[in-house]
Amino acid sequence: NAGVTQTPKFRILKIGQSMTLQCTQDMNHNYMYWYRQDPGMGLKLIYYSVGAGITDKGEVPNGYNVSRSTTEDFPLRLELAAPSQTSVYFCASSYSSRTGYSNQPQHFGDGTRLSIL
Amino acid sequence: GEDVEQSLFLSVREGDSSVINCTYTDSSSTYLYWYKQEPGAGLQLLTYIFSNMDMKQDQRLTVLLNKKDKHLSLRIADTQTGDSAIYFCAESQWDNYGQNFVFGPGTRLSVLP
């Protein structure tokens, strides 16, 4: 099983450039998430989505945009890259059902390491 | 508000037991998780415990939950160099919109030969 796949794995951008980080999952999960992890720090939630066509802001959404046109894909866009966005970005997915409280952990991709110079 | 706390660093000698601690604030948490992050990799689900349990054992891993004190611990028996990683504690709660996750800052475990 592929699970959660993120591309690219590494990228260097110049200040002011834009790019899209790709994330796709093949587990038919309804929830998807984007986190950033700064060196030596924990995870900060950027955006999340509870299903196709629905997205919402997390803790640190400024400078980012997302879309969720399909269940599988949840791309993260940086419009005007800034040095403060140098980080490792993780995409995750989970299945949440309102019909019960079953165990539904998050599954993570391997991350995209982004440097902005 | 929701908050998950962990000590940031732990060093142990190879062969000793490691105990990584975590405290959380939301008493309505239903599941608590331990994730492992190896250098340059993503987070890998290690184990989890349901909130109505107080202990779960899985080979070298033992999870203890003290719901009254909102304290979770992960014990790794016979710690090996391959256990060196960052360990994240996470809690999840259910609300009207579904399952909500909160992660701790991670504990960096260093295993010394």
Side-chain angles (χ1 to χ4, degrees):
Chain A
N1 285 342
V4 179
T5 303
Q6 292 184 238
T7 56
K9 292 192 185 304
F10 304 94
R11 186 70 182 266
I12 298 174
L13 284 182
K14 294 183 179 178
I15 295 172
Q17 286 185 318
S18 61
M19 79 161 293
T20 300
L21 281 64
Q22 302 292 344
C23 175
T24 187
Q25 52 93 7
D26 62 358
M27 297 173 282
N28 201 31
H29 286 169
N30 51 352
Y31 275 53
M32 295 188 75
Y33 313 79
W34 274 106
Y35 294 90
R36 60 178 286 173
Q37 184 183 30
D38 297 328
M41 305 292 285
L43 301 173
K44 292 185 178 179
L45 182 64
I46 305 171
Y47 270 95
Y48 68 100
S49 168
V50 303
I54 306 170
T55 62
D56 211 343
K57 295 177 181 178
E59 184 185 354
V60 289
N62 291 345
Y64 307 94
N65 277 303
V66 293
S67 61
R68 184 93 182 271
S69 56
T70 66
T71 300
E72 295 79 18
D73 301 305
F74 190 41
L76 176 73
R77 181 146 181 94
L78 283 71
E79 290 293 350
L80 289 170
S84 62
Q85 294 177 305
T86 293
S87 190
V88 181
Y89 291 84
F90 289 103
C91 179
S93 71
S94 66
Y95 181 76
S96 289
S97 168
R98 295 186 187 182
T99 59
Y101 295 95
S102 58
N103 177 31
Q104 305 290 358
Q106 290 190 349
H107 298 259
F108 284 81
D110 288 336
T112 294
R113 282 146 188 82
L114 181 64
S115 294
I116 297 159
L117 307 175
Chain B
E2 307 158 347
D3 200 8
V4 176
E5 295 184 352
Q6 300 175 240
S7 52
L8 299 183
F9 301 97
L10 177 66
S11 290
V12 299
R13 294 234 172 250
E14 191 174 11
D16 288 349
S17 292
S18 308
V19 180
I20 303 171
N21 295 302
C22 169
T23 58
Y24 60 98
T25 56
D26 195 323
S27 58
S28 66
S29 294
T30 52
Y31 284 94
L32 295 125
Y33 303 92
W34 284 104
Y35 284 84
K36 177 182 180 183
Q37 184 183 31
E38 296 183 0
L43 277 71
Q44 175 190 8
L45 179 66
L46 207 54
T47 187
Y48 65 92
I49 189 167
F50 188 46
S51 57
N52 69 351
M53 298 169 64
D54 51 21
M55 187 182 87
K56 179 178 179 181
Q57 189 149 4
D58 183 2
Q59 298 182 336
R60 292 191 298 121
L61 305 178
T62 303
V63 179
L64 295 178
L65 175 61
N66 182 328
K67 199 170 180 182
K68 173 177 169 290
D69 295 337
K70 301 189 186 73
H71 182 265
L72 180 75
S73 67
L74 173 69
R75 178 177 181 270
I76 305 173
D78 187 25
T79 311
Q80 303 297 307
T81 54
D83 296 323
S84 292
I86 302 175
Y87 292 81
F88 289 92
C89 168
E91 62 172 347
S92 73
Q93 313 101 28
W94 288 87
D95 58 25
N96 291 337
Y97 304 100
Q99 198 171 11
N100 180 35
F101 291 85
V102 180
F103 285 83
T107 299
R108 184 179 296 272
L109 175 64
S110 297
V111 181
L112 308 173

